[in-house]
């Protein structure tokens, strides 16, 4: 047959490159096209409402410039949508300041409710990684109807907090009190419990996750100056920059509630040491949590390291006479206390 | 008026709900678990409380040690495969002698005596009977050897240790350590490997294991690989090297399969499967002497016969199809001839030929009948004098004759290499596809499991063919 293999390779290269452009995750043309084609004004309206609510909640007021920068849309479109929103009585415009009306606020809260419920759903019922939750919820918040949201809430047992520790507004627009203080503002020696990990901006959230800082952990601040914050938690010392610490919220507790001292993560248990299980971290969710309980990882169970895998990471622990292998990220979410010999 | 108190109660209820907090359920569940385990420890007594037997610990220290863990593992796998491949030869040839050289002529005679028309006896005996007999003869012995061996290891308690040793590698590609077992099981038979994924209780990792099982070179494909490697690759090097080259080529293909398994596991866990629930844990049960006869019985009945039965069910219609396309003429040429012509351009593009592609389509029930079908079709289309006529599959004892037929069909070294690659990377056999559907109950996952290796196969053979042609001019 008469053909040139080089041409064939070139055609193959071009076709696969095109397929890559169209289908590549997140940035593919197909997803972009899907996004723009059906969003219309609804998505933008709801994003504006959410943005304004967060601004007002933190004591600031919105104006066109802030919104334009936060949402990355062109000003013409923004002005058009804002005027339509004003006509629907979602907000009113005072000179260049934008203020939510009562119905605007309610609308915003319902969007936030859907967002946080969806994150809770992803955390409890699916295997999506925590890095995915926010992105997916950003899409779903515009798609679920009110009835669907309520059905979801019921299925999840009407949760109060989302997996990051943010309160989920009730259907009536009520939110739980939130009395945490950013870690960056705590002075040396303060003890507390981590109640919230902010998932925006992503690059800071990524750092929090990388350090394996988990919600609901007890901490003690060891050092705090303008360069770094050091705190002790679950057998380890963590050093953070103030920018990262800013995004971790802690609820301060009294000294007598800080009963921690000897607690540490199972992943740090050394061979030949004996310990007892104290608790399973809140970050261990849904099916995985139940499975651990089934296997006997319950409060008070004696535990020790049985075997180490030759390639590291996975270790077998002896629990109730059975050897059970867990991976390091799982073992780091089980708290134990050393047994006195 | 009535409404007010109700509203108040509702508000109060909601207030209280906030106050109780979110982890109320978790705390309650854990409390129940903890109480239950305390009660158990108070009222029961066990012989080796809290510990494992000395011997177990000692064996574990060796089989999971850094120095011995891996050599022991590879040694055992190699032994099992070797016993299977070598040990199956004798009973296989015995069976095929019985089915093809004794029973078949007898059936043919009977057909003549009762004046059966040639097309009916051809259809039934040369088509349906041949395919079924062939599948049984080549599938039964290796499975009847492999599965009991494997089940004995499982029963003894060694296999979970393999999963434990290799877990890190599988974790890196988003899979479960136990996939090492289902993968090894796949070396015996992919359908059985798919069934074996039931030991993985985490939904996501189980799907990964199911979809990627086909990358384990199964019993039906080892003989193909060995034959082609011996007669084509072994022939291009000096005599004294040919054995080594052939063996390393086959092992290379198997290792390539493992590489593809890791790669596609990783790909799947990062894309289509990332939302599936994932829970890892691996129990290392105590060692115990295997219950020999029970193991033999269950592995023969539960694994071998079920798989064989499914293969036979699919082989019968395939045999009929093979015979029909070879014997029905349309416009002066058999259907097989037309189809071969149609597939030739695509076959050429990926360094194969139309006959091979057609053989892979009609021989979908079992990889074992691919080579006989290729030989039959090649003979029919080229007109070389060999075999027993249109639609009758055959294989030759002599390697030289086989090479000659294939060369007459236009085979080159490239065809041989790409056939080996395509044999590794193509859709699973129909038995496996059906089993995947049974296990997942999902058309979506079944299609992905079917198409993913096929697409990879086309891409890989295409690239190899182009690069080969550029370099050889």
């Amino acid at each position: 047959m008469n053909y040139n293999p080089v041409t064939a390779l070139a055609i193959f290269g071009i076709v696969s490159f095109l397929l890559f452009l169209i289908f590549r995750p997140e940035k593919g043309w197909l997803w972009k096209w899907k996004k723009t084609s059906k969003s219309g004004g609804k998505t933008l309206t709801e994003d504006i409402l959410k943005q304004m609510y967060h601004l007002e909640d933190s004591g600031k007021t919105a104006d066109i410039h802030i919104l334009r920068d936060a949402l990355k849309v062109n000003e013409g479109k923004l002005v058009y949508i804002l005027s339509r929103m004003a006509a629907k009585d979602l907000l009113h415009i005072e000179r260049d300041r934008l203020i939510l009306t009562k119905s605007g606020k309610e609308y915003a809260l319902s969007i936030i409710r859907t967002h946080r419920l969806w994150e809770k759903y992803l955390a409890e019922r699916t295997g999506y990684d925590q890095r995915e939750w926010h992105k997916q919820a950003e899409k779903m918040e515009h798609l679920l109807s009110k009835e669907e949201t309520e059905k979801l809430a019921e299925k999840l047992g009407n949760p109060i907090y989302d997996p990051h520790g943010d309160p989920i507004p009730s259907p009536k627009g009520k939110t739980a009190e939130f009395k945490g203080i950013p870690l960056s503002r705590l002075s040396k020696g303060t003890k507390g419990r981590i109640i919230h990990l902010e998932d925006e901006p992503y690059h800071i959230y990524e750092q929090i996750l990388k350090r394996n800082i988990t919600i609901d952990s007890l901490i003690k601040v060891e050092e705090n100056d303008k360069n770094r914050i050091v705190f002790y938690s679950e057998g380890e010392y963590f050093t953070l920059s103030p920018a990262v610490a800013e995004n971790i919220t802690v609820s301060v507790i009294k000294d007598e509630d800080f009963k921690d001292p000897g607690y540490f993560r199972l992943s740090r248990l050394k061979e030949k040491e004996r310990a007892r299980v104290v608790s399973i971290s809140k970050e261990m969710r849904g099916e995985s949590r139940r499975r651990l309980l089934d296997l006997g990882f319950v409060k008070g169970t004696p535990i020790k390291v049985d075997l180490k895998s030759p390639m590291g990471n996975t270790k077998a622990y002896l629990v109730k006479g059975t050897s059970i292998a867990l991976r390091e990220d799982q073992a780091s979410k089980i708290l134990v206390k050393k047994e006195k010999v | 008026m009535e409404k007010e108190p109700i509203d108040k109660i509702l508000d109060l209820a909601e207030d209280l709900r906030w106050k109780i907090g979110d982890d109320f359920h978790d705390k309650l569940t854990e409390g129940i678990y903890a109480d239950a385990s305390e009660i158990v420890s108070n009222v029961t007594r066990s012989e080796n409380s809290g510990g494992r037997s000395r011997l177990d610990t000692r064996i574990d220290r060796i089989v999971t040690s850094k120095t011995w863990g891996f050599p022991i593992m590879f040694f055992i796998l190699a032994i099992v495969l070797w016993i299977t491949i070598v040990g199956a030869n004798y009973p296989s040839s015995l069976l095929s002698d019985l089915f093809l050289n004794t029973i078949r002529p007898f059936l043919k005679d009977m057909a003549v005596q009762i004046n059966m028309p040639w097309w009916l006896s051809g259809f039934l005996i040369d088509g349906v009977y041949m395919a079924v007999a062939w599948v049984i003869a080549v599938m039964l012995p290796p499975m009847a050897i492999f599965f009991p061996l494997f089940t004995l290891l499982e029963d003894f308690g060694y296999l979970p240790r393999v999963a434990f040793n290799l877990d890190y590698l599988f974790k890196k590609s988003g899979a479960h350590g136990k996939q090492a077992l289902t993968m090894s099981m796949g070396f015996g038979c992919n359908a059985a490997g798919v069934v074996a994924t039931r030991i993985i209780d985490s939904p996501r990792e189980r799907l990964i294991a199911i979809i990627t099982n086909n990358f384990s070179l199964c019993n039906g494909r080892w003989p193909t690989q060995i034959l082609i490697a011996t007669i084509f690759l072994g022939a291009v090097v000096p005599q004294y090297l040919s054995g080594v080259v052939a063996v390393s080529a086959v092992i290379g293909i198997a290792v390539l399969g493992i590489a593809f398994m890791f790669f596609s596991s990783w790909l799947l866990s990062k894309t289509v499967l990332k939302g599936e629930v994932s829970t890892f844990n691996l129990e290392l049960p105590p060692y115990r002497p295997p219950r020999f006869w029970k193991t033999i019985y269950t592995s023969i009945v539960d694994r071998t016969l079920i798989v064989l039965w499914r293969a036979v069910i699919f082989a019968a219609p395939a045999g009929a199809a093979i015979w029909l396309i070879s014997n029905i003429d349309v416009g002066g040429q058999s259907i097989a001839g037309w189809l071969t012509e149609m597939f030739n351009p695509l076959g050429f593009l990926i360094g194969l030929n139309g006959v091979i592609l057609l053989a892979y389509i009609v021989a979908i029930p079992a990889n074992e009948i691919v080579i006989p079908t290729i030989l039959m079709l090649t003979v029919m289309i080229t007109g070389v004098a060999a075999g027993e006529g249109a639609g009758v599959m055959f294989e030759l004892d002599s390697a030289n004759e086989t090479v000659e037929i294939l060369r007459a069909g236009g085979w080159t070294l490239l065809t041989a290499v790409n056939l080996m690659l395509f044999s590794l990377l193509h859709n699973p056999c129909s038995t496996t596809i059906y089993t995947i559907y049974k296990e997942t109950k999902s058309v979506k996952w079944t299609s992905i499991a079917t198409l993913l290796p096929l697409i990879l196969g086309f891409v890989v053979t295409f690239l190899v063919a182009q690069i080969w042609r550029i370099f050889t001019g």
Side-chain angles (χ1 to χ4, degrees):
Chain A
M1 225 174 281
N2 217 349
Y3 91 118
N4 186 347
V6 180
T7 327
L9 270 184
I11 294 172
F12 174 79
I14 292 167
V15 170
S16 16
F17 184 66
L18 277 177
L19 286 176
F20 171 73
L21 283 184
I22 295 172
F23 290 109
R24 97 180 125 153
E26 310 287 332
K27 290 176 193 152
W29 291 346
L30 182 71
W31 323 127
K32 282 197 176 158
W33 172 77
K34 261 190 172 168
K35 217 173 169 181
T36 47
S37 70
K38 65 177 164 208
S39 66
K42 185 169 178 274
T43 307
L44 187 56
T45 305
E46 293 176 351
D47 283 342
I48 292 171
L49 286 172
K50 230 172 42 165
Q51 200 67 38
M52 286 179 62
Y53 177 82
H54 287 312
L55 283 168
E56 285 181 16
D57 199 38
S58 57
K60 295 173 208 149
T61 31
D63 62 42
I64 286 197
H65 301 288
I66 296 178
L67 288 179
R68 186 195 58 197
D69 295 343
L71 299 168
K72 296 188 185 76
V73 283
N74 72 49
E75 212 166 308
K77 193 172 179 189
L78 188 61
V79 170
Y80 168 70
I81 297 276
L82 284 174
S83 63
R84 255 191 20 190
M85 287 167 71
K88 280 191 206 151
D89 192 34
L90 293 172
L91 53 83
H92 55 91
I93 306 173
E94 285 175 12
R95 263 174 271 158
D96 58 347
R97 298 188 333 149
L98 303 166
I99 293 158
L100 284 176
T101 62
K102 190 163 171 277
S103 68
K105 206 173 240 170
E106 272 166 17
Y107 194 168
L109 279 169
S110 78
I111 299 297
I112 292 169
R113 175 172 166 78
T114 310
H115 179 103
R116 292 181 178 167
L117 274 171
W118 193 255
E119 286 190 339
K120 181 79 177 171
Y121 166 75
L122 292 178
E124 295 287 333
R125 302 290 166 89
T126 74
Y128 284 107
D129 187 77
Q130 27 195 345
R131 290 166 181 82
E132 294 269 329
W133 297 343
H134 183 71
K135 268 185 276 173
Q136 301 234 7
E138 282 286 288
K139 278 182 215 151
M140 282 315 279
E141 65 188 12
H142 307 299
L143 299 178
L144 287 185
S145 70
K146 203 149 198 131
E147 291 74 41
E148 285 167 327
T149 305
E150 289 323 306
K151 229 182 241 168
L152 181 69
E154 206 187 310
K155 244 179 127 183
L156 294 171
N158 293 312
I160 306 170
Y161 294 99
D162 79 357
H164 305 294
D166 280 313
I168 299 173
S170 76
K172 289 177 184 162
K174 212 169 127 185
T175 35
E177 256 178 274
F178 191 73
K179 30 181 191 220
I181 301 169
L183 175 60
S184 51
R185 268 188 260 155
L186 296 180
S187 55
K188 186 182 164 184
T190 316
K191 298 173 182 101
R193 181 189 297 278
I194 295 178
I195 56 167
H196 177 234
L197 302 172
E198 177 56 46
D199 58 359
E200 265 190 314
Y202 180 72
H203 64 272
I204 290 188
Y205 182 52
E206 173 90 61
Q207 287 214 33
I208 296 176
L209 294 181
K210 245 190 217 151
R211 311 299 290 277
N212 210 349
I213 295 169
T214 51
I215 214 163
D216 209 37
S217 303
L218 293 177
I219 65 155
K220 183 180 172 205
V221 180
E222 296 287 339
E223 207 184 306
N224 187 355
D225 54 48
K226 58 182 183 302
N227 295 320
R228 61 177 204 165
I229 288 138
V230 181
F231 68 91
Y232 171 86
S233 175
E234 302 177 347
E236 285 170 69
Y237 288 92
F238 296 85
T239 307
L240 299 175
S241 71
V244 177
E246 177 78 40
N247 281 337
I248 298 174
T249 318
V250 176
S251 130
V252 177
I253 56 171
K254 289 186 213 110
D255 279 6
E256 59 263 33
D257 290 336
F258 189 78
K259 47 192 190 296
D260 166 16
Y263 298 1
F264 59 98
R265 295 173 174 181
L266 178 59
S267 50
R268 298 176 65 84
L269 186 67
K270 295 194 189 70
E271 268 178 287
K272 297 199 176 122
E273 285 179 347
R274 286 170 177 280
R276 274 178 194 275
V277 175
V278 173
S279 65
I280 303 177
S281 159
K282 258 191 176 178
E283 299 271 2
M284 195 54 119
R285 302 163 200 278
E287 195 59 41
S288 322
R289 186 185 190 92
R290 274 189 292 281
R291 187 55 55 77
L292 283 180
L293 289 171
D294 285 341
L295 289 171
F297 290 87
V298 290
K299 194 176 169 186
T301 311
I303 190 167
K304 65 175 200 175
V305 179
D306 187 30
L307 287 171
K308 262 178 162 167
S309 167
M311 302 185 85
N313 198 299
T314 310
K315 280 183 199 161
Y317 300 94
L318 200 58
V319 178
K320 293 185 196 283
T322 314
S323 187
I324 291 161
L326 295 180
R327 289 172 173 171
E328 194 176 324
D329 58 328
Q330 293 175 298
S332 74
K333 290 181 183 116
I334 297 170
L335 285 184
V336 297
K337 186 176 187 175
K338 210 178 283 179
E339 190 90 310
K340 281 178 201 104
V341 187
Chain B
M1 286 293 111
E2 275 270 279
K3 257 193 163 178
E4 247 174 54
I6 289 176
D7 271 350
K8 259 186 197 158
I9 291 172
L10 285 178
D11 282 347
L12 181 66
E14 194 166 314
D15 251 12
L16 289 174
R17 205 161 63 75
W18 292 112
K19 273 183 197 149
I20 288 174
D22 226 8
D23 44 8
F24 172 67
H25 278 283
D26 281 346
K27 291 246 163 77
L28 189 68
T29 327
E30 270 158 56
I32 291 170
Y33 269 99
D35 285 351
S37 83
E38 205 187 312
I39 294 171
V40 168
S41 71
N42 284 342
V43 300
T44 59
R45 204 171 34 196
S46 72
E47 295 214 338
N48 52 346
S49 54
R52 302 201 302 137
S53 84
R54 274 268 163 84
L55 184 65
D56 270 22
T57 317
R58 216 175 274 168
I59 300 178
D60 269 342
R61 293 255 177 257
I62 297 170
V63 299
T64 66
S65 77
K66 276 198 171 133
T67 11
W68 295 108
F70 289 93
I72 291 177
M73 229 162 52
F74 290 123
F75 181 70
I76 290 181
L77 181 66
I79 292 271
V80 168
L81 286 178
W82 185 76
I83 294 180
T84 308
I85 293 170
V86 174
N89 271 341
Y90 179 68
S92 261
S93 60
L94 214 66
L95 278 178
S96 79
D97 199 47
L98 175 71
F99 286 137
L100 306 183
N101 299 340
T102 314
I103 297 184
R104 184 161 165 268
F106 173 72
L107 289 175
K108 277 283 199 190
D109 283 349
M110 277 234 309
V112 172
Q113 274 184 15
I114 60 168
N115 282 328
M116 198 185 262
W118 73 272
W119 52 267
L120 189 59
S121 87
F123 176 83
L124 289 177
I125 299 170
D126 294 338
V128 177
Y129 170 78
M130 274 292 269
V132 170
W134 206 292
V135 164
I136 294 177
V138 288
M139 263 179 106
L140 181 58
M143 288 206 294
I145 297 172
F146 184 83
F147 290 147
L149 286 178
F150 208 79
T151 318
L152 283 177
L153 283 176
E154 194 177 3
D155 209 31
F156 172 58
Y158 176 65
L159 294 186
R161 272 71 184 180
V162 173
F164 180 64
N165 283 347
L166 290 173
D167 184 59
Y168 182 71
L169 282 181
F170 285 91
K171 179 188 185 306
K172 284 264 160 188
S173 56
H176 194 296
K178 282 184 193 164
Q179 194 173 321
L181 309 187
T182 63
M183 181 191 85
S184 314
M185 184 66 113
F187 286 132
C189 169
N190 295 141
V194 169
V195 175
T197 60
R198 287 179 192 170
I199 57 170
I200 302 175
D201 47 15
S202 173
R204 184 200 302 175
E205 283 80 357
R206 175 153 185 242
L207 277 172
I208 293 177
I210 288 177
I211 296 173
T212 59
N213 196 272
N214 187 44
F215 293 114
S216 294
L217 207 57
C218 70
N219 257 327
R221 294 181 273 174
W222 286 104
T224 308
Q225 299 284 350
I226 295 169
L227 175 74
I228 302 296
T230 315
I231 63 179
F232 278 94
L233 302 187
V236 292
V237 293
Q239 188 84 47
Y240 66 95
L241 276 178
S242 63
V244 181
V245 167
V247 170
S248 1
V250 176
I251 292 175
I253 292 284
V255 171
L256 190 68
I258 296 176
F260 271 109
M261 184 275 298
F262 277 119
F263 169 71
S264 36
S265 296
W266 173 82
L267 197 70
L268 289 165
S269 69
K270 288 277 174 271
T271 54
V272 284
L273 284 174
K274 66 182 172 187
E276 300 292 320
V277 175
S278 157
T279 61
F280 175 86
N281 61 69
L282 172 63
E283 209 172 306
L284 302 176
Y287 292 102
R288 58 166 186 218
R291 288 156 300 177
F292 191 77
W293 292 112
K294 188 172 180 263
T295 305
I296 302 282
Y297 173 79
T298 52
S299 61
I300 300 262
V301 171
D302 292 349
R303 287 179 174 160
T304 313
L305 290 185
I306 286 178
V307 172
L308 190 68
W309 176 241
R310 282 187 188 167
V312 165
I313 301 251
F314 286 109
I322 292 172
W323 190 85
L324 289 175
I325 59 165
S326 316
N327 283 286
I328 297 178
D329 282 6
V330 182
Q333 191 174 209
S334 64
I335 295 179
W338 286 113
L339 288 172
T340 305
E341 261 176 36
M342 198 175 91
F343 289 133
N344 258 334
L346 175 64
F348 174 79
L349 197 64
I350 59 174
L352 299 170
N353 59 40
V355 165
I356 297 174
L357 291 183
L358 179 58
Y360 268 102
I361 292 172
V362 290
I364 193 177
N367 283 292
E368 283 86 347
I369 57 173
V370 167
I371 286 289
T373 311
I374 289 177
L375 284 173
M376 183 275 287
L377 289 172
T378 309
V379 166
M380 197 176 85
I381 282 165
T382 56
V384 176
E388 307 187 30
V392 190
M393 299 184 288
F394 69 93
E395 231 167 25
L396 295 166
D397 292 334
S398 146
N400 282 337
E401 280 177 59
T402 313
V403 178
E404 263 161 43
I405 291 175
L406 292 176
R407 285 206 193 280
W411 281 49
T412 60
L413 191 55
L414 170 65
T415 324
V417 170
N418 271 1
L419 179 82
M420 288 175 77
L421 288 169
F422 196 73
S423 158
L424 174 72
L425 302 170
H426 71 282
N427 55 284
C429 65
S430 53
T431 313
T432 307
I433 296 176
Y434 176 68
T435 310
I436 292 173
Y437 180 73
K438 282 280 241 183
E439 294 294 313
T440 60
K441 293 265 176 283
S442 146
V443 177
K444 181 182 166 197
W445 300 129
T446 312
S447 333
I448 289 181
T450 310
L451 295 176
L452 177 75
L454 190 62
I455 293 169
L456 279 174
F458 278 126
V459 170
V460 169
T461 49
F462 170 81
L463 290 176
V464 170
Q466 309 318 312
I467 292 165
W468 187 288
R469 282 171 190 151
I470 289 171
F471 279 100
T472 58

